[in-house]
């Protein structure tokens, strides 16, 4: 009798306990969206509007029109469960770039003054010789973005781009400048439609650039120029975006090659208890691009040091900002 009465209570308690367990990120696994399809947001960037994060990236789904390039947008309120919103760009060659033109690393900024969403992307020909950024706009975050133009920011060559929004809301474009053997952190114009001012040209040949502002220091991160192959990513710090920047250091033991990934963004999650910085990297699969994976891991950061730990599943509670790295699953018994 006693058992029967308490059973529903136990069930409810178990359900409540389960609901309270923060969701888990599995670095390197195939991540599925709400449709059960693999998330296609490579070389991506994230913006937060209210309580919702929007993740944009290269959509390299198999079977898409080979004459177009695609950008997908997903949304999430916990950074773990992602809802597909729209294929926000379906771009044919915008000029005379040729059928094998390149549209990579899309990043979206929201301009509160113009109320426009402005997407930057790396636009290039098949030889990566054009070295430009493209700009597209939309009135809504997940609407169809309309291509506006392409140009070389500040007149300089630009290949991989990254985005950084400072705590005061100022928007910056990070772009790799091959002839200068470095990368720029440059402020956007008031309407975000152009690049206005160089804050720094960091003379270290790095791409996949990312910046985070954490406890009074800026941390700038990037990867060496090794195509789709992983390499040891590096970081430097400065008190101001204008520098001076410290020497570059490894974010992980060089031998692990950033655990097979390449930086695309440093995502700051400000919780009620702690602020967590998540390294967002791409595990590229050049021959099966659609199956390229994501390596997200909370970094150990502070006092000028940044360390990417060995990737392991971790729980993420975006309300408190807390993450817990889960222990390795026990090895399967030998047969
Ligand atoms: C490395 C860049 O980071 C990627 O975005 C892409 O452009 C590949 N090179 C192409 O080889």
């Amino acid at each position: 009798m006693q058992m029967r009465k308490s059973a529903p209570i136990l069930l409810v308690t178990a359900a409540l306990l389960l609901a309270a367990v923060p969701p888990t990120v599995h670095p390197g696994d195939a991540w599925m969206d709400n449709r059960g399809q693999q998330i296609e947001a490579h070389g991506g960037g994230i913006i937060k509007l209210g309580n919702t994060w929007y993740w944009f990236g290269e959509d390299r789904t198999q079977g898409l029109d080979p004459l177009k390039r695609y950008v997908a947008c997903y949304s999430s309120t916990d950074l773990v469960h992602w809802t597909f919103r729209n294929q926000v760009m379906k771009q044919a060659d915008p000029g005379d770039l040729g059928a094998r033109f390149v549209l990579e690393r899309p990043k979206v900024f929201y301009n509160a003054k113009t109320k426009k969403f402005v997407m930057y992307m790396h636009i290039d020909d098949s030889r990566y010789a054009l070295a430009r950024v493209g700009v597209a706009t939309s009135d809504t975050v997940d609407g169809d973005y309309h291509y506006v133009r392409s140009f070389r920011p500040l007149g300089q060559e630009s290949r991989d781009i990254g985005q950084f929004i400072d705590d005061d809301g100022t928007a910056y474009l990070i772009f790799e400048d091959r002839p200068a053997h470095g990368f720029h952190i440059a402020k956007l114009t008031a309407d975000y439609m152009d690049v206005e001012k160089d804050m720094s040209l960091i003379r270290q040949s790095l791409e996949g650039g990312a910046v985070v502002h954490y406890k009074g220091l800026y941390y700038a991160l990037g990867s060496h120029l090794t195509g789709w192959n992983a390499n040891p990513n590096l970081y430097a710090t400065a008190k101001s975006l204008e520098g001076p920047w410290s020497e570059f250091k490894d974010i992980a033991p060089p031998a692990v090659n950033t655990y097979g990934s390449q930086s695309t963004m440093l995502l700051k999650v400000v919780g009620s208890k702690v602020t967590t910085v998540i390294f967002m990297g791409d595990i590229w699969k050049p021959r099966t691009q659609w199956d390229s994976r994501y390596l997200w891991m909370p970094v150990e950061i502070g006092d000028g040091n940044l360390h990417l730990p060995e990737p392991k599943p971790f729980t993420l509670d975006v309300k408190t900002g807390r993450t817990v790295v889960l222990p390795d699953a026990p090895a399967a018994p030998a047969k």
Side-chain angles (χ1 to χ4, degrees):
M1 258 329 250
Q2 193 59 32
M3 280 298 285
R4 262 198 222 134
K5 261 190 200 161
S6 59
I9 298 169
L10 281 175
L11 276 176
V12 171
T13 314
L16 284 174
L17 279 173
L18 269 180
V21 174
T24 303
V25 178
H26 295 269
D29 282 8
W31 293 0
M32 300 301 168
D33 66 12
N34 61 310
R35 305 167 301 175
Q37 295 183 22
Q38 208 158 320
I39 293 177
E40 291 290 326
H42 314 290
I46 288 187
I47 55 166
K48 191 179 183 200
L49 302 172
N51 290 329
T52 306
W53 285 270
Y54 294 87
W55 180 8
F56 297 84
E58 300 159 23
D59 180 348
R60 294 178 179 269
T61 302
Q62 270 182 293
L64 293 175
D65 181 347
L67 294 178
K68 291 186 178 162
R69 303 290 173 268
Y70 297 84
V71 177
C73 170
Y74 300 82
S75 67
S76 175
T77 51
D78 64 9
L79 289 170
V80 179
H81 299 96
W82 291 95
T83 300
F84 173 77
R85 302 291 289 236
N86 188 16
Q87 212 168 36
V88 292
M89 289 276 285
K90 307 168 184 67
Q91 186 64 42
D93 175 3
D96 54 357
L97 306 183
R100 290 173 56 228
F101 80 100
V102 166
L103 190 168
E104 290 178 351
R105 296 184 176 266
K107 312 282 181 255
V108 168
F109 300 87
Y110 174 60
N111 189 295
K113 287 191 197 102
T114 62
K115 306 215 178 323
K116 294 264 184 214
F117 293 87
V118 182
M119 183 189 294
Y120 276 75
M121 64 208 92
H122 172 197
I123 281 285
D124 231 319
D125 57 18
S126 59
R127 296 182 305 118
Y128 288 86
L130 197 71
R132 288 170 164 243
V133 290
V135 176
T137 61
S138 169
D139 290 334
T140 54
V141 64
D142 56 359
D144 295 334
Y145 283 68
H146 299 286
Y147 190 83
V148 179
R149 69 177 183 126
S150 72
F151 59 97
R152 283 189 170 174
L154 305 169
Q156 308 304 315
E157 290 193 11
S158 167
R159 290 184 175 82
D160 276 9
I161 60 163
Q163 75 183 128
F164 171 57
I165 300 168
D166 209 343
D167 300 331
D168 64 3
T170 312
Y172 300 91
L173 187 76
I174 304 158
F175 62 97
E176 191 249 325
D177 181 344
R178 200 76 42 106
H181 303 285
F183 62 101
H184 299 258
I185 304 170
K187 194 175 156 204
L188 300 183
T189 52
D191 63 3
Y192 292 0
M193 297 301 287
D194 205 342
V195 177
E196 180 177 77
K197 184 184 170 207
D198 218 0
M199 307 305 292
S200 272
L201 163 58
I202 306 180
R203 290 197 185 268
Q204 179 89 21
S205 291
L206 295 176
E207 60 183 11
V211 171
V212 72
H213 191 187
Y214 182 81
K215 294 196 176 165
L217 268 186
Y218 292 92
Y219 295 73
L221 169 73
S223 87
H224 298 286
L225 315 180
T226 56
W228 300 114
N229 299 324
N231 59 62
N233 292 189
L234 303 177
Y235 76 96
T237 60
K239 286 189 183 138
S240 154
L241 280 181
E242 288 160 303
W245 290 88
S246 70
E247 290 297 303
F248 277 83
K249 293 190 238 169
D250 292 306
I251 67 163
V256 303
N257 277 334
T258 321
Y259 301 101
S261 75
Q262 182 189 25
S263 54
T264 188
M265 192 169 184
L266 289 166
L267 181 64
K268 189 156 94 166
V269 180
V270 182
S272 57
K273 304 282 183 212
V274 292
T275 294
T276 288
V277 175
I278 296 176
F279 169 90
M280 288 170 52
D282 293 287
I283 302 173
W284 296 111
K285 295 192 182 180
R287 288 201 188 82
T288 52
Q289 289 263 356
W290 57 89
D291 188 33
S292 297
R293 304 288 174 85
Y294 312 102
L295 190 164
W296 291 12
M297 236 359 240
V299 294
E300 292 157 17
I301 186 169
D303 299 326
N305 297 307
L306 188 155
H307 174 70
L308 174 67
E310 187 188 348
K312 288 189 180 164
F314 62 94
T315 63
L316 172 58
D317 181 343
V318 293
K319 288 207 171 68
T320 62
R322 286 199 171 114
T323 59
V324 177
V325 177
L326 301 176
D328 282 327
K335 285 188 183 158

